[in-house]
Amino acid sequence: MTKLSKEIGCNGYFVFTFDTEEKDILTNGRMFAPAIGISEDPVTGNANGPLGGYLIQNKICEAVDGVFKFTGKQGEAINRIGKVEVQVSVKDHKPNVVRITGNAVSVFRTTMNLK
């Protein structure tokens, strides 16, 4: 993926599936960005948010009263599970505003001294 990233000018790849056994979860995803030093991102709004726009833009999912909402789950493969709530406002059948929310936890804390 690192080599391909350099060839096509893309830093990351978000793969997802609708194949989920949880009724409140629309997608399960994985985010890989080895070209920028991230082998796998456990949970990322920078992938799930644009996914919402993609699903509307390509007519894969539909908005209700001008809004499309879903929950994406990520991080299972690396045992750092998280969920992202995505809301896409739709105008003229196109994504207009994308909002993401979720909870975060500290994984580690460090101090750096810069000279």
Side-chain angles (χ1 to χ4, degrees):
M1 279 197 253
T2 302
K3 182 180 174 186
L4 178 62
S5 294
K6 290 176 185 175
E7 288 178 21
I8 66 173
C10 178
N11 288 335
Y13 307 89
F14 186 64
V15 294
F16 69 94
T17 180
F18 294 113
D19 188 15
T20 168
E21 296 178 7
E22 298 172 77
K23 67 177 183 168
D24 61 328
I25 304 294
L26 179 67
T27 62
N28 282 321
R30 295 181 74 181
M31 178 68 197
F32 306 99
I36 57 173
I38 302 169
S39 56
E40 184 167 355
D41 195 340
V43 183
T44 176
N46 283 337
N48 284 283
L51 174 60
Y54 171 85
L55 295 175
I56 291 296
Q57 182 84 26
N58 291 285
K59 298 176 178 53
I60 297 168
C61 294
E62 294 183 15
V64 175
D65 296 326
V67 178
F68 169 56
K69 295 180 184 181
F70 75 96
T71 302
K73 187 174 179 182
Q74 210 177 320
E76 285 186 282
I78 57 175
N79 201 30
R80 291 179 61 195
I81 299 170
K83 298 176 185 176
V84 176
E85 303 293 330
V86 180
Q87 178 176 313
V88 181
S89 297
V90 179
K91 185 176 182 180
D92 298 324
H93 306 288
K94 294 182 181 178
N96 185 40
V97 176
V98 177
R99 291 182 176 88
I100 57 166
T101 57
N103 295 317
V105 296
S106 294
V107 176
F108 68 92
R109 185 178 297 214
T110 189
T111 302
M112 296 175 62
N113 293 317
L114 303 175
K115 295 182 181 187

